Amino acid sequence: MATFPEYIAQNEERDGVRFSWNVWPSSRLEATRMVVPVAALFTPLKERPDLPPIQYEPVLCSRATCRAVLNPLCQVDYRAKLWACNFCYQRNQRGPQMPLVFLYVVDTCMEDEDLQALKESLQMSLSLLPPTALVGLITFGRMVQVHELGCEGISKSYVFRGTKDLNAKQLQEMLGLTKPSATQGRGPQTAQQPLSNRFLQPVQKIDMNLTDLLGELQRDPWPVTQGKRPLRSLGVAMSIAVGLLECTFPNTGARIMTFIGGPATQGPGMVVGDELKTPIRSWHDIEKDNAKFMKKATKHYESLANRASTNGHIIDIYACALDQTGLLEMKCCANYTGGYMVMADSFNTSLFKQTFQRVFTKDVQGSFKMAFAATLEVKTSREIKVSGAIGPCVSLNAKGPCVSENEIGTGGTCQWKICGLDPSTTLALYFEVVNQHNAPIPQGGRGAIQFVTQYQHSSGQRRIRVTTTARNWADAQTQIQSIAASFDQEAAAILMARLAVYRAETEEGPDVLRWLDRQLIRLCQKFGDYHKDDPNSFRFSETFSLYPQFMFHLRRSPFLQVFNNSPDESSYYRHQFNRQDLTQALIMIQPVLYAYSFNGPPEPVLLDSSSILPDRILLMDTFFQILIYHGETVAQWRKAGYQDMPEYENFKHLLQAPVDDAQELLHTRFPMPRYIDTEHGGSQARFLLSKVNPSQTHNNMYAWGQESGAPILTDDVSLQVFMDHLKKLAVSSAA
């Protein structure tokens, strides 16, 4: 019989599913008393090399009165790509494969070296696209230009004012686009020729042209006077991109890749004025209701995000600038469509270049690891209903018997649209047990949930992936032990954290932390072992023992604390947290710390100030940053250059070891983390000091003696104090 940890690991490996509970309370009342809801983290495209797809959906005869399915008795002409129906003798086309569409939207208001680096990255990406993919180019500064790509040797573009929005109909008339009619795609000539237009052309036909066109891009020619920001018409450029794809490729996989070097400063979607002396909004401004462009801009980008997600189109945002660019207002564009959001200081950094290149990584079959225009449907057995989803998806408003009335996240539906998916995209799904309290445990004793994911594979095929899971029911009054033993504290922590982040995004103020604390106290009261009013007697079984410290670190994390982060940074961190899988999300909440010393190989150490010792090097992985910290003595030796002396060879190796380990993480992660090399007393040591548990602070350092770590200047409570308070509240009879 497998233990629960083994069982959990097997299921994650096989299905890409982790449940908060792996035995479910059999009644609605008992389920609400469990505090943490029955919920699942689900990775729809979990990589499974042992899972070859059946290569196509059933192919139907095109005669409306027949609709028979292609079968071994039909005659197939492989050269002409035709098959003859053996029932009505109709000759049928083989189904057309939809091309992938990539539309580049490029800001030209930036310094020359930044623009040069960006142009080189874009040219590089053309060589990574499949030859049949369609590409388009829109550039913008004060004006917006839609480039015609079909014409040889002459560059033509349509220029639009950056101050006026256009709806899809106006855009269609101005660009002379014809809507693809319903009959197209059926006639004999269209199987070989995918639909395209002057603005979206196959890479194989125009890659030389487009490479030259990108190479010739210049900085926005409009002069910028001293003390002003350049006029940047980002809102209109994105609107034109969404409209162009809406008219030409509705319901087809497409990526709008937006590259911005600063904030939108004019027209719809502007987030700051052009006067440099007026800074872009901060959290302080937002709290004081002093961010005058925010609401209007957010509304503009939300309507674009909704239009794009309706058509299955992804919007990626690559924001590279030292100041904020408006990610707070634009976050819905990436969050609703499953797009990427990448934030760097400049396009001329390896952080941007490497991350952008990794978007195009391929699997062993040579296909992109990206899927398009997906829908996820959840089906449940009678005793359980789905409350909602949190992740990069939008509701398809599909009501049905398995939809709960209690909404959590994006609820009121059993189907969601996920325009962009990759093998790590993970959704959180929340369920409600609806079986009545006095009803017997359902026959068969198991509740079942089926996840049906339909998507356009990067080869152009439509694919369906079905994942079906079941868990045992238990009566919470007689079998609470077996329910408690089935608790997956890692999954539960992430599922509650996503819920907290969702609340932080949609509600105001410190209430989220209070809610989180209340849930934790209730969980301790329900599953802890203690005598009333005696905090020292409190014990948590191994299954729950790590959960409180996850909550402690979550409370201090940038997902819930906006102090010291700009609104753009908070939006970026939350965006990543809501789409990554469980392993990455745990690192984001509780960073991993490794110690390197002369005493042997590197070892994981506690994320605690007592781990910071003078003769140690620390490597910290927060997901967003990889930090190497040299203790005081090591830093002095390094300054003195001991590593260059032959007799201190082992010191040289000690310095090199964390650098090698950091490289491995830097080479594999998406998006690429920021690399920080610092030391005792260095200004960037703050990144480490703000993450560790402050077990020694300037208030209690004398009680600790000198050699036990680094005191931290903070008024934050330590994990020990947090746990003491928690135990006191959990055992209190007044609670």
Side-chain angles (χ1 to χ4, degrees), residues 714-727:
T714 179
D715 293 326
D716 282 2
V717 301
S718 68
L719 179 59
Q720 191 54 51
V721 175
F722 178 78
M723 290 303 291
D724 291 345
H725 280 286
L726 177 60
K727 289 172 183 174

Side-chain angles (χ1 to χ4, degrees), residues 503-550:
R503 292 176 79 129
E505 289 273 73
T506 49
E507 299 166 19
E508 297 295 306
D511 299 346
V512 175
L513 292 180
R514 283 199 205 108
W515 171 82
L516 208 55
D517 290 345
R518 210 165 45 245
Q519 304 303 314
L520 178 57
I521 294 163
R522 285 180 55 211
L523 192 76
C524 292
Q525 289 168 337
K526 176 84 182 170
F527 293 101
D529 224 349
Y530 56 90
H531 304 303
K532 274 268 183 256
D533 294 321
D534 177 5
N536 293 331
S537 68
F538 185 89
R539 296 286 176 277
F540 235 162
S541 79
E542 224 169 75
T543 327
F544 292 85
S545 58
L546 297 174
Y547 188 82
Q549 79 185 42
F550 287 137

Side-chain angles (χ1 to χ4, degrees), residues 3-206:
T3 62
F4 265 113
E6 288 166 352
Y7 174 76
I8 288 167
Q10 283 163 4
N11 278 281
E12 182 178 25
E13 202 51 35
R14 188 187 65 224
D15 300 330
V17 178
R18 290 269 296 251
F19 280 101
S20 49
W21 303 94
N22 289 286
V23 172
W24 295 341
S26 59
S27 77
R28 172 185 251 159
L29 180 65
E30 291 298 346
T32 55
R33 291 178 179 162
M34 295 296 145
V35 187
V36 174
V38 172
L41 287 166
F42 176 52
T43 308
L45 298 190
K46 171 87 177 159
E47 290 191 280
R48 281 274 305 273
D50 59 333
L51 197 69
I54 295 167
Q55 285 303 331
Y56 48 78
E57 290 184 54
V59 175
L60 305 182
C61 173
S62 59
R63 185 171 295 188
T65 52
C66 174
R67 309 300 278 159
V69 178
L70 170 65
N71 60 75
L73 303 175
C74 298
Q75 291 192 325
V76 180
D77 179 342
Y78 288 100
R79 285 190 53 198
K81 297 194 170 161
L82 295 170
W83 63 279
C85 174
N86 61 325
F87 292 95
C88 72
Y89 309 114
Q90 169 85 1
R91 284 170 73 72
N92 297 289
Q93 292 288 333
R94 299 279 291 283
Q97 302 251 327
M98 295 310 282
L100 298 180
V101 183
F102 294 88
L103 178 51
Y104 296 89
V105 181
V106 181
D107 177 0
T108 56
C109 298
M110 55 177 95
E111 296 299 323
D112 288 332
E113 69 174 59
D114 246 27
L115 187 58
Q116 186 54 37
L118 174 57
K119 283 163 27 172
E120 286 166 12
S121 282
L122 297 179
Q123 288 169 325
M124 173 278 303
S125 69
L126 289 180
S127 66
L128 300 175
L129 297 178
T132 53
L134 303 181
V135 286
L137 176 66
I138 294 175
T139 55
F140 66 94
R142 186 171 179 172
M143 302 290 185
V144 180
Q145 292 182 284
V146 184
H147 296 265
E148 232 185 69
L149 300 176
C151 38
E152 280 297 320
I154 159 178
S155 37
K156 256 173 86 178
S157 61
Y158 287 64
V159 181
F160 296 88
R161 275 218 311 272
T163 48
K164 186 172 175 294
D165 205 3
L166 299 163
N167 61 36
K169 197 168 178 357
Q170 292 168 313
L171 186 69
Q172 206 173 321
E173 283 163 9
M174 289 178 170
L175 294 177
L177 299 168
T178 48
K179 255 211 154 111
S181 63
T183 52
Q184 278 183 307
R186 300 231 178 105
Q189 77 289 350
T190 53
Q192 282 76 27
Q193 256 206 319
L195 279 173
S196 72
N197 54 48
R198 302 189 306 282
F199 307 103
L200 294 161
Q201 291 277 318
V203 175
Q204 56 195 9
K205 192 171 142 197
I206 53 130

Side-chain angles (χ1 to χ4, degrees), residues 301-370:
Y301 294 114
E302 274 181 352
S303 91
L304 293 183
N306 284 318
R307 281 166 59 193
S309 58
T310 301
N311 281 294
H313 300 153
I314 303 164
I315 302 176
D316 298 328
I317 302 171
Y318 297 90
C320 295
L322 288 167
D323 197 5
Q324 299 184 73
T325 56
L327 290 179
L328 172 74
E329 289 81 358
M330 295 190 288
K331 64 187 177 194
C332 50
C333 291
N335 292 347
Y336 292 5
T337 67
Y340 295 127
M341 188 192 283
V342 172
M343 197 177 170
D345 292 343
S346 141
F347 287 108
N348 200 14
T349 54
S350 58
L351 197 153
F352 165 72
K353 293 174 184 175
Q354 295 281 321
T355 300
F356 183 53
Q357 193 164 353
R358 279 171 211 173
V359 169
F360 302 99
T361 42
K362 298 192 163 86
D363 62 17
V364 279
Q365 277 84 38
S367 305
F368 281 146
K369 290 186 172 187
M370 50 173 100

